[in-house]
Every structure is written in C-alpha cells, then in structure tokens.
Amino acid sequence: MTRQTPNAPKATRSKSPAKAAPRTNPRTNQGDLFRLDSPLMGEIRGERSLMAFPFFALAKTAWMKPLTYRTDTVSIEVRPSASGVATIYDKEIVLYIASLMAAKLEAGEQVEQDFVFTAHDLFQVTGANHSARSYNRLSEALERLQGTQIKTNIEAGGEGEEGFFSWLSEAKLHYSRNRAGERRLKAVKVRLCDWLFRAILLDRHVLDYAHAYFQLGPIERRIYEVARSTVNAGEALEVDLATFRLQIGYQNPLANFRQAVKAIAGTDAIPDYDVALVETVAGEGAGESAERAGATDGEPPQATGRRGRRANPARVVVTRRPAAIASDEAAEEGVAEEGAGATSESPSESPGPASA
C-alpha cells in the first residue's frame, strides 16, 4: 500500500554554501585497503518517510519495548534486539549514510549499498567529541541499527516488502593496532538495507536538515522532522495533541507530552519552525471528546492535578518562520539559475508527496 503524506512540502535543495571540492578527494588514505565514501561534501539530508513517521525510540539509553504506529494507510512495527531498539541518536548514522548517498547521486556518481567512512568524519558532522566514550557509543549504535527489526507497509521505489528488515544488514568496525598494542579505528563499513536504498535511489524524496538538528533533544528532533516533512511554506500543521504524540513517537503518558510541548511552544527551540499549543476551555461534551481522543491508544483519559477534573483539549499548530520561507525561496531561485537546462532530478528536488 502506497502511503500518502498530506501537506507534504516541496522537497527543495538549499543552495550549497560553497562549491565542494571535486569528489576525487583522498578517500584512500587508510592504507589503500578501503575506498572511503566520506567526508560528506554537502548538506545533511534525510529520506522523507523517516522524517514523517516514528521509526526510532526517543531515548538516550537502551529502549527494550517494541514500537508500533498505525493509521488508516500506514503501519509500522519496530522490534528490539538484545541491545534494544535503535534510538533517535543512532539515527545520526543513518542520516550520514543517506547524505553520502544523496551527494553521490547529485554528483552523477554510481551508488551501491555498501558505504565506508571514518568515525572522525561522522563526528565532525554530528558534533560528537572524539573521546573513547564516543567510539563506544558508535559501536553500540551500529549494533542496534543492525539488530532492530522493522516491518512496514510503506513502499519504497515502487516496491513493498513483507516481513522484517534491519536498517543495516552489515556493520563492521575495521581497526589496526599500534606498537603498544592499542586498537586504532580505521574505518566503518556498513551495508544499507534494501528498503531505504530504493527509497533514496528511486523515489528521491530527500530533504535537507538544519545544521542545528544535532544539538536538539529527542522530542525537539522529532518535532523538527515532522514539521520539515509536512509543513508547506505559508501553511500550518494543525493537529490534536493525542495524534501529534503518536506521530512524534512519544511513549510516555499524554499528560507528560502536553508539558513537554508546552515547554517548547513559544520558544526558538525548533529550527525554522514555530510551535504553539492551543488549549481551549471545554464544556462537558467537549471534555468527553477530549477524553476519547486521549484514550485512542489505550491510555486512560488525561487529567489535571485536581482530582476529578480533566485537562482541556489541546491542539498543536506548527508554522514555518518567515525568515526560513524567504531563505527557501532564495535557494530555489539559485538552484533554478544553476540548473537551467538540466534534465536529471536532484535527490532533494522531488515533486509531490512521498511514496516511500
């Protein structure tokens, strides 16, 4: 079943901040044993379906419970491995791989499912330090990405899949030893899953990420991704709080999510987007409707701190900031000038809603 994404924004390519060096960069400096696909020459990009829907756990530590998301058209089931479900922080690796692939496609290079990069290049993009703990986290993240099992009816590249797959079908750390016998990481080698590879290669529904994304917390990251993948310029995403919680993938009670969104609303926490929590004073009938909305996923009705009184129904409104819209328009004009006469579609210039 092909998923339809309502109000999906036009996937536009931001004007490159600087002309990248030719991709004949020294990618074989690791003793000529590995041909590196890094460093990244371009923007961080992500596949639209992975932005719009909750495939990753909003946790900093191991999340051992399955994740499910179901609507009339979309079904997602995520099962943990022995080390847990892949988290929103593990997703940084997937984004880096997707960005490497999108940059290659844009440069007209041939792409394969295997990618080789250095931890140093990855950390430069995500902002991680180069401590031993960061390298340990990298190893743990790769293990979760390879072990997590995903099942979805979202099609990729015009094809659907029955059964489960992992984000990475292969993940290896290649290292050498110095004279003291200490291990020195040389390269990371991964194989991207068929589903995501097809989505990027054939569907080309790829969107740029704000550089500030990697400094955000788990909830802020997901709000940004949902906004980026669904909000058109000049339009707004308006949804009830319970539905928004499910799309974000927040696993704790709705009352907790309300407080989290309230803390974010009215701030500049989400790059390029404004978030508002609109709470209405409800009568008895409206309160009962809010009660049912809060219980759609099997949770008890949301209540306030006073015994016997329920919270007023709330809606979340997300809009793109005018400055960000102006930046998009300027980038589109620049791309149009640069790409005049071009016949191939850019990975981040896909028309219409995503089908993957």
Side-chain angles (χ1 to χ4, degrees):
M1 181 184 298
T2 300
R3 185 264 298 168
Q4 298 294 324
T5 303
N7 301 322
K10 184 186 296 182
T12 58
R13 173 166 59 91
S14 60
K15 196 170 184 179
S16 179
K19 279 291 183 182
R23 288 193 59 84
T24 55
N25 59 76
R27 294 183 294 182
T28 54
N29 288 346
Q30 305 292 318
D32 292 330
L33 294 178
F34 306 106
R35 178 172 177 79
L36 297 178
D37 297 294
S38 65
L40 174 63
M41 303 291 185
E43 301 291 332
I44 283 291
R45 297 169 184 172
E47 201 281 324
R48 184 182 282 158
S49 292
L50 265 64
M51 301 175 80
F53 300 111
F55 283 96
F56 295 84
L58 302 185
K60 291 186 177 180
T61 57
W63 182 268
M64 304 306 298
K65 299 178 181 179
L67 306 177
T68 57
Y69 176 83
R70 289 187 177 86
T71 67
D72 293 339
T73 57
V74 175
S75 173
I76 297 172
E77 181 181 353
V78 183
R79 294 181 181 178
S81 66
S83 57
V85 169
T87 71
I88 193 72
Y89 292 98
D90 302 338
K91 186 179 183 178
E92 294 176 354
I93 300 173
V94 177
L95 289 177
Y96 188 69
I97 298 168
S99 301
L100 291 173
M101 182 173 174
K104 278 191 166 189
L105 289 170
E106 191 172 59
E109 297 184 22
Q110 182 177 353
V111 294
E112 299 179 352
Q113 287 180 254
D114 292 326
F115 291 87
V116 183
F117 55 91
T118 67
H120 175 273
D121 291 337
L122 171 66
F123 294 162
Q124 287 291 103
V125 171
T126 62
N129 58 40
H130 297 268
S131 66
R133 179 56 183 151
S134 293
Y135 285 92
N136 289 336
R137 286 175 177 169
L138 171 61
S139 178
E140 294 167 358
L142 291 170
E143 183 177 349
R144 282 189 293 268
L145 290 169
Q146 187 176 11
T148 297
Q149 297 289 295
I150 307 99
K151 183 178 183 181
T152 182
N153 67 342
I154 300 175
E155 296 178 357
E159 298 180 16
E161 291 186 2
E162 287 288 343
F164 289 84
F165 62 88
S166 299
W167 296 119
L168 303 177
S169 57
E170 179 181 325
K172 296 179 179 179
L173 297 175
H174 292 270
Y175 64 89
S176 61
R177 293 188 181 276
N178 59 22
R179 294 181 178 179
E182 299 172 331
R183 296 201 305 182
R184 179 182 178 184
L185 181 61
K186 299 186 67 175
V188 181
K189 182 179 180 181
V190 299
R191 173 173 282 265
L192 192 62
C193 66
D194 295 343
W195 183 84
L196 186 53
F197 181 77
R198 289 198 312 272
I200 299 173
L201 178 65
L202 301 177
D203 296 329
R204 306 291 180 96
H205 298 304
V206 180
L207 294 167
D208 293 349
Y209 272 69
H211 291 291
Y213 172 84
F214 297 107
Q215 282 72 57
L216 302 178
I219 300 175
E220 290 86 351
R221 290 188 182 201
R222 279 298 297 141
I223 292 177
Y224 171 80
E225 289 182 323
V226 170
R228 183 72 180 94
S229 61
T230 58
V231 177
N232 277 310
E235 299 180 3
L237 169 66
E238 186 170 350
V239 62
D240 68 86
L241 187 66
T243 300
F244 193 59
R245 168 183 168 271
L246 296 178
Q247 190 169 5
I248 294 299
Y250 190 82
Q251 297 298 310
N252 291 326
L254 185 61
N256 297 46
F257 186 60
R258 177 191 287 259
Q259 294 302 316
V261 174
K262 184 179 292 187
I264 293 170
T267 70
D268 293 331
I270 310 301
D272 301 332
Y273 295 91
D274 290 320
V275 179
L277 181 66
V278 181
E279 298 176 293
T280 58
V281 178
E284 182 178 353
E288 291 174 354
S289 297
E291 175 182 340
R292 288 193 294 271
T296 54
D297 57 348
E299 287 194 358
Q302 183 180 350
T304 64
R306 296 182 181 181
R307 184 177 179 84
R309 299 191 64 180
R310 296 181 176 86
N312 292 327
R315 299 182 68 80
V316 178
V317 180
V318 183
T319 54
R320 190 158 175 81
R321 295 191 190 114
I325 295 174
S327 177
D328 288 345
E329 292 174 348
E332 287 181 13
E333 291 177 1
V335 170
E337 293 175 0
E338 292 178 1
T343 57
S344 60
E345 180 185 14
S346 167
S348 53
E349 292 177 328
S350 58
S355 60

